[in-house]
Every structure is written in C-alpha cells, then in structure tokens.
Amino acid sequence: MINNLDDNVNEKELLEIINGVENDEIEEIQPFDPEKISIDTKTITMEACLRRLEQKTIILNPDFQRNEVWTDDKKSRLIESLILKIPLPMFYVSADENNIFYVVDGLQRLSTIRDFILGKNYLENNKANLKGQGFKLSNLEFWGKNFNDKIFNDLPIHIYNRILETEFTFTVINPGTPEDVKRNIFKRINTGGEPLTQQEIRHALYTGPSTIFLQTLSHSKEFLSATDNSVKSSRMMDRELILRALAFTIRDLNSYPKNNDMDTFLSDSMRIINVFNKNELTNQDVKFKLSINNEELIETNLDLIEQKFKISMRRAKDLFGEHAFRKSYPGKRRTPINKGLFEVWCTLLSNINQKQFDLLKKNKKQFMNEYSELLNDYNFIFVISRDSQKYISVKSRYDRLNNLLLKFIND
C-alpha cells in the first residue's frame, strides 16, 4: 500500500520510481557568463608533445581510461594514421597557471604515441639507449608488409621523420576560466558519440589526492560488500556515488548550494580534498583554499575520512543486508542502489558510536518497520529520487532519516 499518494500523481509512475532503475540525476542547467571563457586553439608539434610527456607537463591520468584500454592493433592503426599523414582529432586539455596540461579528451591517443615513440622502458628507466623501443606495430591495414613487427627505431628514416614532424591541434582551456565553465565546456565534448560523464570530467580536471582516494575506496572490500558489487565502475559511476557520501562527510549539510548545484558541490569537494592533502599548492589552489568557509568543514584528514567511510559500509551491510542503500527492504524485490540513501546512510551511520549502533541493532525489527513505512511514503520517495538534488530535498532526507535513527539509538 502506498501512503500519501497525491491525487494528481499517476500511481504507475510512482511505482516505477519506487521499484525501477534509479533516475535521480535530472540536471538543472546552470547559466554562466560566456565572457569568462578563455580558450586557445594551439598547434603543437610532435617534438613539443613528446618533450611535455617526458617532463610530465602533459598529465595523462592512467586511471582515466573509461574502461576502454586500446588493443595493440588499435594502437598500431593510430601510428599508421601518422605514417599516412591523416590528421588526428583535436585534443582537449585544461591548463593550470604553470602551463601544465591536464588531458580531458585524447588520453588513449597520447598514451599510444608516448608508448610507441618513447617506450615504457625508457620512461621508467630514463636510459637513452631504450628510447624508441616501444611496442611493435601489428595488423596494419596498408603498411603491414613493410612495418608489422617494427618498433619506432626500426622504421626507415623518412617514415621516422614523418612521424616526428606531425603537428597536433590542441584546444586549451586557460586557467582564468571559472571551474563551472570548464566543466560545462568539457561536458559538451563528444568522444566517439558518447559524451563524457560529469565524474569523468571531474576526474580529469581535479587529478590529485581526491582521484586517488576515490579509486582506493571504490576498490575497498567494505564498499564492494555493502553494495554487493552492483555499482558499475564503467564511466566512474562508483566513484561519483562515493563522492556524494564523502562530500557530506567533509562538509556541513548547510554548505550544500541553495541553487541546487550538485555538480559544483561535488567538484568543490574534490578540490577541498586536494588542497588539504597536497604537498605543494599552486596559486589557484591557494586562492581556492582561502575562499573556503572553514566553519563549513567537518573533516579533511583522509585517514579519518576513510575510517568513517568503511565503518558506515560495514554497519549498512550489518543493518540492511542485501537491501543496503536501496528503496527496498526484506520481503520486497531488491531495487538498485539509491544515491540519496547512500549519501545519507554513509554519513549518519559513521557519526554514531558503537554503543548507539548496538542499540539500533537491538531494536532492528521496530526500526525496519518504521523505515519501510518511510520508503513507501510518496513525499520521501521524491526527495531521494527525482528531486534529490534540490537543497530542500537534501535537507529533508537528512532530517527525516536522522530523526528516525535518533528514536532507536538512545536509552
């Protein structure tokens, strides 16, 4: 039986929200001033590109691969394109104040060029005699008879020079461009017909302690157990889910923007992790750190944040079992992980002490009865689903679940 059903709402639609695949990421378009966009299109030679790759002033985050690691044949076809003088698609990067490029689109192409012309052994050992001894070409479409099984140093001099004289086109988002504008620009990039996800964009723009930390937590046994390995790692869905929980572990609930801008809230949370855990800060980092309202910060120590996160995962598994973070409960068909529930329960369960959690488990039957009623409440369903990114919804779900929890953790 569905409680509080509004006469104007279709019951079938509500049942789909309760039982169906999660759809709580309805995006609200955030306007920005186009005058603040600072973009350059640059022609960069292969020599300059290789120099930057050696210097690590082009950052190829090896974890940002969208689960599409190229095969040797595909890599070889890219090198064959260079031999045939076929222009490669544009590269998109974000530049910082030190003119370091963070690659958002073009990682696989640049990785292929690096691994063929420079070679992994050279980059790891920095010995000149290893340079040019990268992977062997294979299954070439036009030049197979000539160059299959060849490394870069084996190529004839005219082909060798042809590759080194290649020029690339880079679109560079300059450091003066506001962060929300950067993300909006990269969101519009279409890679092979599939736009970048918001988390993939954040991952590329905010490389550092935050990206490493999210990767670590996404692979933790506690997270995988609590979610029953059901959150896909493709397109970084698992990391965005974790980030939503961490954002409210790091920052006070009231810091959530009144304009409902979840993207900026999550992005700034990654930046907060970075600036409080980096050894060296750029001027941009310093400016951002000074702009933070320290009264809204709860925790920035990664060891403590990790500890709290893992405690919440273990407790959620213990309390809810296979229905952890879902809009379902025992006796009902299990539904997908819900982002709003994940975000709230991670925070609430990590903030109570062991004695309180033991009391909660002691009263588990009554708690689950009242919790199941809440999960059937029409208004609550919307604050954890279609309206989940609204400020009023964020506050409402925290208040309602916290009030429920308080009833069972006090003597």
Side-chain angles (χ1 to χ4, degrees):
M1 184 67 180
I2 300 172
N3 298 321
N4 302 325
L5 183 62
D6 192 306
D7 291 337
N8 295 321
V9 177
N10 183 287
E11 184 169 351
K12 181 181 178 183
E13 178 187 13
L14 182 58
L15 286 170
E16 289 175 351
I17 298 171
I18 297 172
N19 297 316
V21 176
E22 289 305 318
N23 183 26
D24 64 348
E25 290 295 338
I26 295 176
E27 179 186 353
E28 295 192 17
I29 298 174
Q30 302 296 329
F32 57 83
D33 184 358
E35 296 299 321
K36 294 180 179 179
I37 299 175
S38 177
I39 301 176
D40 289 326
T41 300
K42 297 182 178 180
T43 298
I44 296 181
T45 64
M46 175 69 83
E47 181 182 9
C49 192
L50 293 172
R51 184 180 69 249
R52 278 181 166 273
L53 288 167
E54 289 192 64
Q55 295 170 340
K56 294 183 171 55
T57 56
I58 291 183
I59 305 299
L60 302 181
N61 193 327
D63 189 43
F64 182 50
Q65 295 181 349
R66 308 179 71 186
N67 289 351
E68 297 174 11
V69 180
W70 280 9
T71 63
D72 288 343
D73 286 353
K74 191 168 184 178
K75 292 177 181 178
S76 297
R77 295 290 178 89
L78 179 82
I79 301 303
E80 187 174 40
S81 294
L82 300 181
I83 295 172
L84 295 168
K85 295 185 178 181
I86 297 173
L88 299 190
M90 187 175 295
F91 296 92
Y92 291 84
V93 300
S94 173
D96 70 11
E97 61 196 15
N98 295 320
N99 204 29
I100 294 175
F101 290 173
Y102 294 83
V103 179
V104 175
D105 190 57
L107 170 72
Q108 298 285 9
R109 285 171 281 148
L110 287 170
S111 298
T112 296
I113 291 165
R114 176 198 63 192
D115 294 345
F116 180 68
I117 299 178
L118 298 176
K120 290 183 178 179
N121 286 335
Y122 168 69
L123 292 169
E124 290 173 2
N125 299 286
N126 199 28
K127 293 182 179 178
N129 63 309
L130 297 175
K131 193 171 186 178
Q133 298 187 37
F135 65 84
K136 292 182 179 180
L137 297 175
S138 61
N139 200 26
L140 298 178
E141 187 173 0
F142 299 104
W143 292 88
K145 290 182 180 179
N146 301 80
F147 304 136
N148 275 345
D149 295 322
K150 302 285 187 184
I151 60 174
F152 182 61
N153 285 349
D154 293 337
L155 297 176
I157 193 68
H158 70 287
I159 299 297
Y160 183 98
N161 286 334
R162 182 182 297 176
I163 291 174
L164 288 181
E165 289 166 3
T166 303
E167 293 184 338
F168 305 113
T169 303
F170 276 62
T171 290
V172 183
I173 312 299
N174 293 317
T177 305
E179 295 298 320
D180 59 335
V181 177
K182 286 184 188 178
R183 293 194 300 273
N184 196 294
I185 292 168
F186 288 126
K187 193 166 116 183
R188 295 166 185 265
I189 296 172
N190 195 302
T191 305
E194 192 170 23
L196 297 163
T197 67
Q198 290 178 320
Q199 188 58 31
E200 287 172 332
I201 293 168
R202 293 185 201 107
H203 187 87
L205 291 177
Y206 309 126
T207 297
S210 63
T211 52
I212 297 169
F213 190 52
L214 288 173
Q215 179 190 20
T216 299
L217 294 185
S218 71
H219 293 162
S220 68
K221 63 180 182 181
E222 290 84 358
F223 172 73
L224 296 174
S225 174
T227 58
D228 200 19
N229 292 280
S230 63
V231 183
K232 294 180 180 179
S233 59
S234 62
R235 312 305 307 275
M236 301 196 172
M237 293 173 63
D238 51 351
R239 299 182 203 190
E240 181 171 80
L241 181 67
I242 293 170
L243 178 59
R244 279 184 64 152
L246 295 189
F248 290 98
T249 302
I250 295 165
R251 307 166 72 183
D252 185 84
L253 174 63
N254 292 319
S255 66
Y256 188 79
K258 302 292 192 299
N259 67 352
N260 314 319
D261 190 353
M262 177 68 80
D263 179 34
T264 294
F265 182 67
L266 297 182
S267 299
D268 284 351
S269 296
M270 289 187 70
R271 298 176 72 195
I272 287 170
I273 292 174
N274 284 344
V275 299
F276 280 95
N277 293 279
K278 272 185 179 180
N279 293 325
E280 296 182 8
L281 299 182
T282 65
N283 289 337
Q284 278 184 296
D285 291 333
V286 172
K287 289 177 183 177
F288 175 69
K289 192 171 184 179
L290 291 173
S291 73
I292 297 169
N293 182 353
N294 288 315
E295 293 180 358
E296 294 180 345
L297 294 181
I298 299 173
E299 185 58 70
T300 57
N301 183 289
L302 292 189
D303 290 336
L304 294 177
I305 295 170
E306 181 175 3
Q307 183 181 358
K308 292 183 72 173
F309 178 81
K310 290 182 176 180
I311 286 172
S312 70
M313 293 296 105
R314 290 193 293 267
R315 288 177 173 175
K317 182 70 172 181
D318 193 7
L319 187 62
F320 301 109
E322 65 174 4
H323 296 279
F325 314 121
R326 303 169 193 268
K327 293 183 289 189
S328 55
Y329 44 86
K332 190 176 181 182
R333 182 178 66 85
R334 192 173 78 161
T335 58
I337 296 286
N338 175 269
K339 296 176 182 179
L341 290 176
F342 186 90
E343 156 207 311
V344 181
W345 282 125
C346 284
T347 305
L348 295 181
L349 290 176
S350 67
N351 285 337
I352 61 176
N353 59 41
Q354 188 59 45
K355 181 181 178 182
Q356 290 172 319
F357 183 66
D358 290 340
L359 274 173
L360 181 60
K361 285 202 299 178
K362 183 179 178 181
N363 297 307
K364 179 177 177 178
K365 185 175 181 180
Q366 187 179 353
F367 166 78
M368 288 302 299
N369 285 338
E370 294 195 28
Y371 182 48
S372 63
E373 290 180 7
L374 192 59
L375 291 177
N376 284 325
D377 183 284
Y378 165 78
N379 294 314
F380 185 73
I381 290 167
F382 270 82
V383 302
I384 63 172
S385 298
R386 293 191 176 181
D387 290 343
S388 72
Q389 297 191 17
K390 293 182 178 179
Y391 173 81
I392 192 170
S393 295
V394 171
K395 196 167 187 316
S396 175
R397 62 176 172 262
Y398 269 88
D399 288 344
R400 296 190 71 175
L401 289 177
N402 187 52
N403 289 337
L404 175 64
L405 188 62
L406 290 174
K407 290 176 63 175
F408 299 97
I409 62 173
N410 295 313
D411 289 321

